Amino acid sequence: MRLPLLRSTGWRRVPRFLLAGGVATLFHWLTMLVLIGWGLNAVLATATGATVGLLANYVGQYRFAFCSNLPHRVAFPRYLTGAALGWALNLTGFSLLLMAGLSVAPSQIITTGLVAFANYLFAQRFVFHEEQTINVQ
């Protein structure tokens, strides 16, 4: 199911990108809270919640933010690559800001903004990029 009226390009996608990410974050947190409420270890609960959030974010970005026509066999591995790069960028940026003397909250706020920006660019230019390329043999 595609939403052709929502299809847009460039920076007009940013609000939908952020909304899909926010909804995915809520899925993560709600899953985590429910599992902790049921007595599951907090680390396992957040790991499970993060997986639910990752899947929810993929669906939101694929269908809502980028209205992609790529087959999932192409888009999903690209998405997982982007998620891994975002995770590494978050860890690196946060660690560097802590070493530079910032406290935890400002370090994470700055890092989150930078990672969100990088994730948007990566999703736009690689994950959901649909232009045909010429096969050179």
Side-chain angles (χ1 to χ4, degrees):
M1 179 173 113
R2 298 290 178 263
L3 304 170
L5 296 176
L6 294 176
R7 196 168 182 86
S8 64
T9 59
W11 295 107
R12 294 187 313 225
R13 289 182 178 145
V14 171
R16 291 198 319 260
F17 175 83
L18 295 172
L19 180 62
V23 169
T25 300
L26 288 176
F27 273 99
H28 172 172
W29 293 350
L30 289 172
T31 301
M32 179 183 72
L33 290 173
V34 167
L35 292 174
I36 289 172
W38 288 347
L40 189 66
N41 173 283
V43 172
L44 292 175
T46 196
T48 304
T51 302
V52 170
L54 178 102
L55 295 173
N57 191 50
Y58 172 73
V59 171
Q61 301 305 338
Y62 182 90
R63 296 231 183 250
F64 180 64
F66 292 94
C67 300
S68 181
N69 290 315
L70 288 173
H72 292 293
R73 69 181 175 357
V74 173
F76 191 63
R78 290 179 178 183
Y79 176 79
L80 291 177
T81 300
L85 290 172
W87 182 86
L89 182 59
N90 180 71
L91 182 62
T92 302
F94 181 74
S95 299
L96 289 173
L97 289 171
L98 281 178
M99 286 189 292
L102 268 70
S103 63
V104 170
S107 295
Q108 189 59 64
I109 289 168
I110 292 167
T111 302
T112 297
L114 292 173
V115 170
F117 180 71
N119 282 343
Y120 177 80
L121 292 177
F122 192 75
Q124 179 186 39
R125 296 179 183 191
F126 175 69
V127 176
F128 301 111
H129 187 73
E130 297 181 18
E131 285 187 20
Q132 296 292 327
T133 57
I134 299 171
N135 286 334
V136 178
Q137 297 183 3

